[in-house]
Amino acid sequence: MKKYYRTLLFLLTLSAIQVHAQDLAHYKRVVKEISSSRYQGRGYAKGGANKAGKFLKKEYKKAGVDEVTLQYFTIDINTFCGKMEMWADGNKLRAGVDFSMREYSPGIHGEFPVYHVDTLNFDADRMFADLQKPEYCNALVCCDFWFSYNHREAFSRLQKAGECTNAGLLQTWPSPIKFYKAYGERTVDKPIVWVTPEAIEGVKTVRVNVDNRFLKGYELFNVIAKVSGERHDSCYVFTAHYDHLGNLGKKVFYAGANDNASGTAAIVTLAAYYAKHRPPYDMYFISFSGEDANLRGSEFYAEHPIVPLEQIRYLFNIDMIGDNSPILYCEVSDEGLCGYRLFEQINGERHHFKKLNKGDLAGNSDHYPFAKRHVPCIFLENQEGCAFPYYHTIYDNWEHAVFDSYEPVFHLVTDFIERY
């Protein structure tokens, strides 16, 4: 009899391990798929975001959820899917490696002198006087991004049409060069090019050939899946954005394996888990689009919820967990603080992470539209690991994908729901 029980225990343990492995395999498959070239960085110009949304709709259905609906909305957005070329003193620079564009920059074409700002002895009046000299007519003004940010009153004048004769700005950023944000809901008067210090140091002239395309009324959609629980008067909500930065020219795209294929894949596997283990409350899994366009998808949903926001027991926003830091970063709404103490208690008991680090609430991801509407919610993100430096660079791809945080996040969330 003892041998029978030992065999039964072994088989149950093996079964649990196999289910566990299948979840991780499912997670990896979704990350690999939506960070592939098929979706061109899940941006807007080439329809990559919407292609990814249609894939997710199929994934939710395969996971066994009860309903999948698409919630449509529109945005205005600046894109770069045409020519993307730059030369520094005749040396060709690499898009996404040596240079990129600010998200709200117009296109730029031509050859320009470079005016290097004297940051050690900076004098704004002298800079403006220098730019009146014939040799700097129509120049691109070059300096470190943070320096220009700290002297933004002077540099904002350089960006206004008619204020100065400069053609635009070259802002230096250390490698790996970033596509800083995708909040290009407008374009400014003059172009801004990001460039590594090494690529522009001592350069006298640059030639630039960059196309932009401003899309008005571009249609996107949120993908909303539902698993019905025993009760329908309250619900849990899981969110993650599936869009990303898209293209930088015709050949370069930002795969976004960590940001945010990782969170997207996590809520797909959570949907599959709860479809097999029916919960006491309804569960909604919302894959948002438009996050990288100033949280437009989540803001639209919060304004047009399919269930009243006051019925949400707790909302989990999972963003950038494709990393290996032992510390999990969190942001929590005021109404979610009681739940956060339970998160800390569970983590202390089961050691999913070495520590939970609670930061100040900010409008940096899709929890924010809910937090400001008094929904109990938490934002989960894994920072300071080996993948985090690749944030918003072309190196955030499948080759640099990390999977260490998926399982502890999965169990932290499911443990919380069991006890909340």
Side-chain angles (χ1 to χ4, degrees):
M1 183 63 69
K2 289 182 178 178
K3 183 177 180 181
Y4 168 78
Y5 281 120
R6 284 198 299 269
T7 303
L8 180 61
L9 180 62
F10 172 77
L11 291 173
L12 289 172
T13 303
L14 181 62
S15 175
I17 292 172
Q18 288 173 339
V19 170
H20 185 69
Q22 287 169 358
D23 288 341
L24 183 58
H26 186 191
Y27 173 76
K28 289 182 177 180
R29 179 176 63 79
V30 175
V31 171
K32 186 175 185 179
E33 172 67 21
I34 64 175
S35 61
S36 71
S37 60
R38 182 178 307 173
Y39 303 95
Q40 289 293 294
R42 305 187 303 282
Y44 316 121
K46 294 186 178 181
N50 289 344
K51 288 178 184 177
K54 292 175 183 177
F55 166 78
L56 291 171
K57 179 181 178 181
K58 294 177 181 177
E59 280 297 302
Y60 280 126
K61 287 184 175 180
K62 287 195 294 184
V65 303
D66 298 310
E67 301 173 20
V68 184
T69 58
L70 304 183
Q71 183 185 50
Y72 289 88
F73 62 97
T74 61
I75 64 170
D76 297 340
I77 193 74
N78 192 37
T79 65
F80 300 95
C81 59
K83 294 179 180 177
M84 185 62 57
E85 301 171 310
M86 184 173 179
W87 293 261
D89 284 346
N91 298 312
K92 188 166 186 177
L93 305 185
R94 298 163 294 176
V97 178
D98 302 312
F99 78 100
S100 67
M101 302 299 295
R102 282 309 302 257
E103 65 279 9
Y104 43 70
S105 176
I108 174 172
H109 303 86
E111 188 166 346
F112 308 90
V114 178
Y115 177 83
H116 294 272
V117 176
D118 183 356
T119 57
L120 296 178
N121 305 286
F122 179 68
D123 183 285
D125 291 336
R126 187 177 67 204
M127 177 179 70
F128 290 120
D130 286 344
L131 292 172
Q132 298 299 318
K133 297 176 181 179
E135 61 266 33
Y136 291 123
C137 180
N138 206 34
L140 289 172
V141 177
C142 179
C143 74
D144 173 69
F145 165 75
W146 288 112
F147 184 88
S148 65
Y149 179 81
N150 291 330
H151 297 83
R152 50 191 174 275
E153 183 176 346
F155 283 88
S156 65
R157 286 180 57 192
L158 294 175
Q159 282 303 103
K160 294 178 181 177
E163 285 277 330
C164 298
T165 61
N166 70 302
L169 294 181
L170 298 171
Q171 293 182 326
T172 60
W173 185 276
S175 181
I177 198 76
K178 293 184 181 296
F179 192 119
Y180 190 62
K181 293 285 185 184
Y183 293 179
E185 297 177 283
R186 61 187 174 92
T187 55
V188 293
D189 293 336
K190 298 179 184 179
I192 304 175
V193 184
W194 288 70
V195 62
T196 62
E198 301 80 16
I200 203 66
E201 184 178 5
V203 168
K204 295 181 178 180
T205 62
V206 296
R207 184 159 59 93
V208 192
N209 193 17
V210 171
D211 294 333
N212 80 306
R213 183 184 175 199
F214 193 83
L215 306 175
K216 291 187 70 67
Y218 188 80
E219 189 173 70
L220 299 172
F221 54 85
N222 300 320
V223 184
I224 306 169
K226 178 185 178 183
V227 172
S228 296
E230 297 172 5
R231 294 176 55 178
H232 310 298
D233 57 335
S234 298
C235 63
Y236 288 99
V237 177
F238 305 83
T239 71
H241 75 92
Y242 68 88
D243 67 310
H244 192 48
L245 301 174
N247 304 91
L248 187 68
K250 296 178 180 179
K251 297 181 180 179
V252 176
F253 69 92
Y254 293 83
N258 183 25
D259 183 19
N260 184 34
S262 64
T264 297
I267 70 167
V268 168
T269 62
L270 281 162
Y273 173 81
Y274 283 112
K276 295 174 184 175
H277 305 85
R278 287 289 164 171
Y281 295 93
D282 289 345
M283 301 282 195
Y284 289 89
F285 306 85
I286 310 177
S287 298
F288 286 124
S289 193
E291 192 267 359
D292 271 305
N294 206 17
L295 313 182
R296 291 293 296 277
S298 53
E299 186 67 42
F300 185 86
Y301 179 90
E303 291 175 357
H304 307 88
I306 63 172
V307 292
L309 297 183
E310 57 268 23
Q311 290 188 11
I312 299 176
R313 288 175 60 82
Y314 218 90
L315 180 146
F316 312 85
N317 180 38
I318 303 177
D319 196 347
M320 291 174 57
I321 61 164
D323 219 327
N324 62 352
S325 173
I327 298 173
L328 185 66
Y329 176 78
C330 310
E331 293 178 15
V332 186
S333 65
D334 290 344
E335 291 75 12
L337 287 174
C338 181
Y340 181 71
R341 288 189 281 273
L342 178 59
F343 274 110
E344 288 188 309
Q345 180 182 340
I346 292 169
N347 191 65
E349 294 170 357
R350 303 192 178 180
H351 309 290
H352 296 309
F353 289 91
K354 182 178 179 180
K355 179 183 177 183
L356 302 184
N357 179 22
K358 187 172 78 67
D360 294 333
L361 186 67
N364 52 2
S365 190
D366 289 318
H367 59 292
Y368 189 70
F370 297 91
K372 68 183 184 181
R373 291 172 171 84
H374 310 293
V375 173
C377 60
I378 189 168
F379 169 51
L380 303 176
E381 182 177 87
N382 195 226
Q383 297 180 350
E384 300 180 6
C386 66
F388 193 73
Y390 299 136
Y391 167 74
H392 279 208
T393 76
I394 61 171
Y395 305 108
D396 179 12
N397 53 25
W398 173 252
E399 287 70 25
H400 293 105
V402 183
F403 306 106
D404 297 36
S405 294
Y406 163 67
E407 293 175 5
V409 166
F410 184 98
H411 292 300
L412 181 63
V413 169
T414 53
D415 289 348
F416 175 90
I417 290 174
E418 284 183 6
R419 293 169 58 173
Y420 186 65

